[in-house]
Amino acid sequence: MEQKAKTARQRARAEITAEILQAARTRLTQAGPGELSLRAVARDVGMVSSAVYRYFPSRDDLLTALLIEAYDELGAAAEAADDAVADRDDAAARWLATCRATRTWAVEHPHDYALLYGSPVTGYAAPRDTIVPATRVIVRLVEIVMAAVAAGAIEPGTSDDEPHPFDPSVRGAVEAIRDLGGPSATEAPAELVGRTLMAWSTIFGTISFELWGHLVGSVSDHEEFFDGVAARLWTDLGLS
Amino acid sequence: MEQKAKTARQRARAEITAEILQAARTRLTQAGPGELSLRAVARDVGMVSSAVYRYFPSRDDLLTALLIEAYDELGAAAEAADDAVADRDDAAARWLATCRATRTWAVEHPHDYALLYGSPVTGYAAPRDTIVPATRVIVRLVEIVMAAVAAGAIEPGTSDDEPHPFDPSVRGAVEAIRDLGGPSATEAPAELVGRTLMAWSTIFGTISFELWGHLVGSVSDHEEFFDGVAARLWTDLGLS
DNA sequence: CAACAAACGAGAGCATTGCTCTTGCAATGA
DNA sequence: TCATTGCAAGAGCAATGCTCTCGTTTGTTG
């Protein structure tokens, strides 16, 4: 099925599809996802609006394609930042680098970030294709945490002594981490998994608050504040 | 200027304004802010679209009115939950109750929550009128924290020993808290203020992740998970 | 090579949106 | 009583997403 020798039409189709995506991406840098006009991107690529429907059945499908692209770009940026840390055993440094890269990408691509993590458009359910790229950042964060655990940093207490244990509620995440099949085949402790999810929520919350303007007047230097948050998140994980 | 005896026209205007707001509010329960159609709410109240412009100069002004109303409703719910805690000296219980009420309101009013804390509509800047009601929840949370401080729960370390101190970046919040003028006229320590802002970001992040579906597959019982998060946020504040 | 089918771009068209303008009616106040 | 003001209705404009049709081009098959 996958012919290497593509016909001219197939090549043209792939090129035009990419061209439309690129135009839509450019438009996204100037306006939010809700304002993305299919007719406008059609004009940008020199086509009539109805012609675009040959490539994307609807505006939502265009958004889905953009969604996947943006998720992958963010994931790649986060992973690259982690990979760039020289000392692979310094889990804290890796954590901070990955968190920072996430915020940096968000600040540089606010509308793409809004597309990924903003309030979803009504009636639009993200299809299956998006869930894998969507988890790249959190997966990498989990890998860093698990690497620290494998290196001997065992958390002291379990979740059982807490009045609100994470144990039953994060079972899905625990199983997902087991399925990841890292170097340590040991079960990830629920408390640590819950703490990691909590940290991820904090990262998202801090970035979104900054971008949506909810910290205006309270926080002056957002980068510095974020670094402080990320550092405390690591210590709060309860490792070592 | 503020006549108690209103003319029939003034009364009618107030009533119709409320009627429009109510209709818009109802529409918001079925669709997101971006999909709120001014013409549709006009139809709901039995008016022609142009007539609505006598009461709200633009769609954005309608959204602003809804914004203030929703902020106040959420703030009232959170404050009521805190006030309902019997033991006023149990700051942890008050914290948990306030956090829970915030989540409960969000779950019950997802579209209103999206209006408040979702990605903002492009080109729409929330006017001054909204900032006071917008801070009701975080103000109450700060009051609870400061009450605990006043009760003698002093945090052990300062932020200076941290590699990423909160100190300079949260000056605005520190001053805002001083202006609040609580029972304790003492300066709020930057570390504690930063921690409180961080906690508020986490609450927002956790609720938004739940509502926007970013925790599907990882968290099974959202209420239980949230309780665990809120409880850990309190201990992470570093009080007592 | 010829014939057929599929893909394609363009255009017209429909229903909808936010918003402006004009028109005529009704309530208000001197 | 009468001029002023507030108000609702309607038409209209520029957009939007999307559908349909109509020739034309491209690819495949007999």
Side-chain angles (χ1 to χ4, degrees):
Chain A
M1 287 297 173
E2 293 251 338
Q3 293 279 4
K4 200 160 197 176
K6 293 179 181 175
T7 159
R9 196 163 240 172
Q10 286 173 311
R11 245 187 308 120
R13 179 171 186 86
E15 262 184 35
I16 294 181
T17 303
E19 209 170 327
I20 295 175
L21 267 177
Q22 180 54 43
R25 204 71 199 283
T26 305
R27 285 242 154 221
L28 254 197
T29 60
Q30 296 155 354
E35 285 75 28
L36 195 147
S37 158
L38 196 144
R39 292 178 108 112
V41 313
R43 278 193 299 268
D44 288 353
V45 298
M47 283 199 305
V48 93
S49 73
S50 60
V52 180
Y53 284 86
R54 300 272 180 203
Y55 300 87
F56 297 94
S58 78
R59 198 191 81 116
D60 284 355
D61 292 271
L62 217 190
L63 281 180
T64 299
L66 290 173
L67 207 64
I68 296 176
E69 221 177 69
Y71 267 133
D72 268 322
E73 197 177 294
L74 167 61
E79 291 170 7
D82 177 29
D83 293 339
V85 174
D87 185 359
R88 304 307 294 161
D89 294 333
D90 191 348
R94 293 178 58 193
W95 171 273
L96 184 60
T98 308
C99 292
R100 271 179 167 165
T102 302
R103 174 185 169 272
T104 300
W105 186 89
V107 170
E108 287 171 352
H109 307 81
H111 292 109
D112 296 75
Y113 180 84
L115 174 65
L116 301 185
Y117 293 104
S119 32
V121 192
T122 308
Y124 172 76
R128 302 277 174 189
D129 321 356
T130 64
I131 63 175
V132 171
T135 54
R136 282 180 68 170
V137 178
I138 178 66
V139 161
R140 177 55 66 105
L141 289 177
V142 165
E143 285 174 355
I144 296 173
V145 171
M146 295 308 286
V149 170
I154 306 296
E155 94 290 6
T158 77
S159 66
D160 296 341
D161 51 354
E162 283 278 349
H164 299 285
F166 278 136
D167 180 27
S169 60
V170 297
R171 281 276 167 81
V174 171
E175 290 174 14
I177 292 173
R178 190 199 307 134
D179 293 350
L180 274 179
S184 67
T186 72
E187 184 95 344
E191 171 68 16
L192 186 59
V193 172
R195 274 287 189 177
T196 309
L197 280 181
M198 180 175 160
W200 177 227
S201 304
T202 307
I203 294 165
F204 154 75
T206 307
I207 294 174
S208 298
F209 263 4
E210 172 184 350
L211 292 184
W212 310 159
H214 286 272
L215 293 179
V216 172
S218 296
V219 173
S220 50
D221 189 329
H222 289 285
E223 184 174 352
E224 197 172 340
F225 178 68
F226 182 84
D227 283 352
V229 168
R232 280 159 187 80
L233 285 179
W234 178 256
T235 66
D236 290 347
L237 285 175
L239 291 175
S240 79
Chain B
M1 288 297 174
E2 293 253 337
Q3 294 280 4
K4 199 157 197 178
K6 292 178 180 176
T7 159
R9 199 164 239 172
Q10 284 173 313
R11 243 186 311 118
R13 179 170 187 85
E15 261 184 36
I16 294 181
T17 303
E19 209 171 327
I20 295 175
L21 268 177
Q22 180 53 43
R25 204 69 200 283
T26 306
R27 285 242 154 222
L28 254 196
T29 61
Q30 296 156 353
E35 285 76 28
L36 194 149
S37 158
L38 196 144
R39 290 179 110 112
V41 313
R43 279 193 296 269
D44 288 351
V45 298
M47 283 200 304
V48 94
S49 73
S50 59
V52 180
Y53 285 85
R54 299 267 178 199
Y55 301 87
F56 296 95
S58 78
R59 199 191 82 116
D60 284 357
D61 292 272
L62 218 189
L63 280 181
T64 299
L66 290 174
L67 208 62
I68 296 176
E69 220 177 70
Y71 266 134
D72 268 323
E73 197 177 294
L74 167 59
E79 292 170 6
D82 177 29
D83 294 339
V85 175
D87 185 0
R88 304 307 295 160
D89 294 332
D90 191 347
R94 292 178 57 191
W95 172 272
L96 184 61
T98 308
C99 291
R100 271 180 168 165
T102 302
R103 175 185 169 273
T104 300
W105 185 89
V107 170
E108 287 171 353
H109 307 81
H111 292 109
D112 296 77
Y113 180 84
L115 174 65
L116 301 186
Y117 293 104
S119 33
V121 191
T122 307
Y124 171 77
R128 303 277 174 188
D129 321 354
T130 64
I131 63 175
V132 171
T135 54
R136 282 180 69 171
V137 178
I138 178 64
V139 161
R140 178 54 66 104
L141 288 177
V142 165
E143 285 174 356
I144 295 173
V145 171
M146 295 309 287
V149 171
I154 307 295
E155 95 289 9
T158 77
S159 66
D160 296 342
D161 52 352
E162 283 278 348
H164 299 284
F166 277 137
D167 181 26
S169 62
V170 297
R171 281 278 166 80
V174 171
E175 290 173 15
I177 292 174
R178 190 199 309 133
D179 293 349
L180 273 179
S184 67
T186 71
E187 184 95 343
E191 172 68 16
L192 186 60
V193 172
R195 273 289 188 177
T196 308
L197 281 180
M198 180 175 159
W200 176 227
S201 304
T202 307
I203 294 166
F204 154 75
T206 308
I207 293 175
S208 299
F209 264 3
E210 172 183 350
L211 292 184
W212 310 158
H214 287 272
L215 293 179
V216 172
S218 297
V219 172
S220 50
D221 189 328
H222 289 285
E223 184 175 351
E224 196 171 341
F225 177 69
F226 182 83
D227 283 352
V229 168
R232 280 159 187 80
L233 285 179
W234 179 256
T235 66
D236 290 347
L237 284 175
L239 292 174
S240 79

